[in-house]
Amino acid sequence: MQESDYLQAGKIASEVREMVRVKDWIGKTVYEICEEIENEIIKRGAKCAFPVNTSINEIAAHYTAEPNDTLTVKDTDLIKIDLGAQINGYIADTAVTVCYDPEFDGLVQAAEDALANAMSMVKVGVKASDIGRTIETTIKQMGYKPIANLSGHSLEQYTIHAGKSIPNIWSIGGFSLSENTAYACEPFVTTGDGGGFVRNGQIKNIFAINSRKKTKNENADKLLDFIWENFNMLPFALRWITKSWDEKEARETLDFLVKKKAVQAYPVLVEVNEQRVAQAEHTFIPNLNGATITTRA
Ligand code: MN
Ligand code: MN
């Protein structure tokens, strides 16, 4: 584990997140938002660990802008901005919810409080199921519902979801936090009318490489090499390819790679009752006394 790289990525990600938190995004397109935030990460000397996610209202996660996406933030929207910085593949994963409707301020606060309470209990040996219980209890006491089928995760070099899950509800079993391992904790909260679950939506605009096996299609193999060289195993967006490829050709070739299962396409995740969802997220490395929260402001 490269602690200095984790810390550097965390510092950059948290600086950018705090910029995102206070900025007025109303009237901006999600394309402008993603590009601006990604440029802030790059300007500070990191790479993006994944495309900035701009998931609005009932979309809980995994929406990123299409090339020139015109979807525009309205003055009643609640938008979850999830961003990742990486240094040599060591990732900081963090998120903030920006809310322009005071009716949903409590929802955002519940996600923040659940995360703060989780961060105050993490250390080596703490059970993930107990973190889930704290998150669930905090959210329910405030009159909201946790999203049961979204969770935090362990991180490894060039791997965002490295196998271990930190639940947002109490659950039987699970693992205990280890030393020298990075984890992301990310409570998702919906309203009392929400189902407390997400389902896959139709839109898929985040991708990641599955296999580097040649497809015998020259163009597809060229794109596969480009993806591997630029993004490794990490997620990417079509926007990131069309900076050096023709858009129509890139889209068709990417579709082909998805059909060949060389590339995985991730659907957006939507609250089952189409209720609004808030999120907060930190990356942390537990120690014997507590944890280094790499994305602490
Ligand atoms: Mn995230
Ligand atoms: Mn995460």
Side-chain angles (χ1 to χ4, degrees):
M1 194 192 68
Q2 198 67 37
E3 182 145 12
S4 60
D5 287 345
Y6 270 123
L7 294 177
Q8 182 64 13
K11 182 174 184 288
I12 290 167
S14 65
E15 278 176 21
V16 176
R17 183 199 61 231
E18 292 312 301
M19 181 277 285
V20 166
R21 189 191 303 275
V22 296
K23 188 151 176 161
D24 182 4
W25 300 105
I26 297 168
K28 296 238 184 191
T29 67
V30 290
Y31 179 79
E32 292 168 328
I33 297 171
C34 288
E35 292 284 310
E36 180 174 337
I37 297 169
E38 288 165 4
N39 286 333
E40 289 290 337
I41 292 169
I42 293 160
K43 211 167 76 184
R44 286 168 170 78
K47 288 183 176 173
C48 295
F50 50 84
V52 166
N53 288 205
T54 51
S55 305
I56 298 176
N57 298 338
E58 74 279 7
I59 310 285
H62 293 177
Y63 187 98
T64 195
E66 291 287 334
N68 304 308
D69 198 325
T70 56
L71 178 66
T72 302
V73 176
K74 296 193 296 292
D75 62 2
T76 52
D77 280 341
L78 172 155
I79 176 165
K80 293 154 292 293
I81 296 182
D82 193 332
L83 60 102
Q86 58 106 340
I87 305 274
N88 298 318
Y90 296 98
I91 299 163
D93 182 2
T94 188
V96 61
T97 302
V98 180
C99 179
Y100 299 113
D101 182 343
E103 192 190 329
F104 295 96
D105 285 349
L107 193 68
V108 177
Q109 194 60 49
E112 290 284 345
D113 286 4
L115 180 62
N117 289 343
M119 289 302 95
S120 68
M121 70 182 285
V122 289
K123 65 176 184 177
V124 170
V126 167
K127 286 186 190 159
S129 59
D130 286 333
I131 302 169
R133 184 192 344 244
T134 294
I135 291 170
E136 178 174 13
T137 305
T138 305
I139 292 168
K140 286 186 171 168
Q141 278 172 351
M142 295 173 77
Y144 299 104
K145 277 186 189 169
I147 301 287
N149 61 341
L150 287 175
S151 56
H153 47 94
S154 54
L155 295 149
E156 282 172 15
Q157 189 182 24
Y158 290 111
T159 307
I160 293 179
H161 294 107
K164 299 269 198 279
S165 292
I166 300 181
N168 290 324
I169 53 165
W170 183 80
S171 53
I172 282 174
F175 70 103
S176 299
L177 298 179
S178 304
E179 219 167 351
N180 299 319
T181 306
Y183 301 91
C185 179
E186 47 186 315
F188 286 83
V189 188
T190 190
T191 67
D193 293 329
F197 289 89
V198 290
R199 60 167 173 84
N200 291 344
Q202 292 298 312
I203 299 168
K204 294 178 181 176
N205 49 31
I206 295 177
F207 306 89
I209 220 166
N210 246 348
S211 155
R212 291 190 64 207
K213 220 175 89 190
K214 297 290 176 208
T215 64
K216 294 175 185 156
N217 172 310
E218 196 186 333
N219 228 11
D221 289 343
K222 210 173 105 195
L223 182 57
L224 208 51
D225 286 341
F226 175 88
I227 293 166
W228 173 255
E229 280 157 23
N230 287 279
F231 320 126
N232 198 289
M233 300 295 286
L234 292 169
F236 62 90
L238 183 59
R239 288 183 286 115
W240 291 0
I241 295 173
T242 54
K243 298 198 193 305
S244 20
W245 290 62
D246 170 71
E247 183 176 333
K248 187 168 173 284
E249 191 181 16
R251 202 180 280 276
E252 285 168 4
T253 311
L254 190 56
D255 281 348
F256 176 81
L257 288 172
V258 170
K259 278 198 193 79
K260 289 277 171 195
K261 297 193 168 27
V263 165
Q264 174 95 20
Y266 294 93
V268 298
L269 301 171
V270 189
E271 211 289 319
V272 289
N273 289 354
E274 312 224 319
Q275 295 300 302
R276 291 185 173 199
V277 177
Q279 174 202 16
E281 181 175 22
H282 273 312
T283 297
F284 67 95
I285 301 169
N287 57 50
L288 296 174
N289 304 310
T292 301
I293 299 169
T294 67
T295 53
R296 177 162 270 165

